[in-house]
Amino acid sequence: MMILVMFMFIPPMLLTPADQAFSDASYVYEPMMDGVRLILSRKGKETRIWTSDRTECTRQFPEPLSVPVEGDVILDGAACSINPDTGLNEVKLVKDRLRLKKSGRIRSYAAQRPVSYVVWDILFYNGRDLRRLAADQKALHPRSRNAVRRQLLLGVSG
């Protein structure tokens, strides 16, 4: 496998609209989470976060900065937030964060209206481009994709 230089921003794969719902065993289906698409990039000790349109929003979303992954990684995911009054997932609470500029307000929102970072895909890991790997091929690279998934799910390394 080719080793690549780590990029700080990679555009996410976008949804493809379809005229009708379909079912096909060759596709992997994931639940839809209403939120804001975020690309998280960690290289060394630096972590940065962007929206899908390349707007840097690292300051506005401190919660994903502590994602439990060792090594250099680029993750594709979504920031989601549960409305404390209704218990429902509300994208508006996440979009409100994007407008915040003052550190005190950002800390207040993070404490009172925290976001969860739902990881959809691991794009790069320790210099390896994983974008072309199909979901069922992940076993071919157990020291990269599987290691990151284990760290994300269990909060442990290795």
Side-chain angles (χ1 to χ4, degrees), residues 82-95:
I82 303 298
N83 182 321
D85 298 325
T86 65
L88 300 174
N89 185 27
E90 283 194 25
V91 71
K92 181 187 179 309
L93 294 177
V94 181
K95 287 183 177 181

Side-chain angles (χ1 to χ4, degrees), residues 42-152:
R42 177 175 296 152
K43 183 172 175 94
K45 294 183 179 188
E46 182 181 5
T47 300
R48 297 174 76 182
I49 301 171
W50 287 273
T51 62
S52 59
D53 64 357
R54 296 180 187 222
T55 301
E56 186 172 355
C57 57
T58 306
R59 287 186 61 235
Q60 286 84 358
F61 295 101
E63 298 94 334
L65 296 176
S66 62
V67 69
V69 176
E70 293 179 8
D72 296 342
V73 66
I74 298 177
L75 304 174
D76 179 10
C80 303
S81 184
I82 303 298
N83 182 321
D85 298 325
T86 65
L88 300 174
N89 185 27
E90 283 194 25
V91 71
K92 181 187 179 309
L93 294 177
V94 181
K95 287 183 177 181
D96 287 347
R97 284 274 195 101
L98 291 172
R99 291 188 281 273
L100 299 179
K101 302 293 181 218
K102 296 183 178 180
S103 297
R105 296 263 321 196
I106 292 168
R107 281 192 304 273
S108 175
Y109 266 66
Q112 296 173 11
R113 301 171 189 161
V115 298
S116 295
Y117 184 57
V118 179
V119 177
W120 298 118
D121 202 1
I122 303 156
L123 305 177
F124 275 77
Y125 181 61
N126 285 335
R128 298 191 190 285
D129 184 348
L130 304 178
R131 291 175 292 173
R132 295 189 188 270
L133 289 181
D136 62 350
Q137 292 178 320
K138 64 186 175 199
L140 298 176
H141 301 278
R143 291 183 353 193
S144 56
R145 187 172 268 208
N146 285 346
V148 173
R149 284 199 169 124
R150 226 177 1 265
Q151 291 174 47
L152 288 170

Side-chain angles (χ1 to χ4, degrees), residues 17-56:
D19 294 330
Q20 300 177 12
F22 68 98
S23 180
D24 185 324
S26 64
Y27 285 81
V28 174
Y29 298 91
E30 297 173 331
M32 167 62 174
M33 297 294 291
D34 202 12
V36 172
R37 189 79 171 265
L38 297 179
I39 300 296
L40 180 142
S41 180
R42 177 175 296 152
K43 183 172 175 94
K45 294 183 179 188
E46 182 181 5
T47 300
R48 297 174 76 182
I49 301 171
W50 287 273
T51 62
S52 59
D53 64 357
R54 296 180 187 222
T55 301
E56 186 172 355

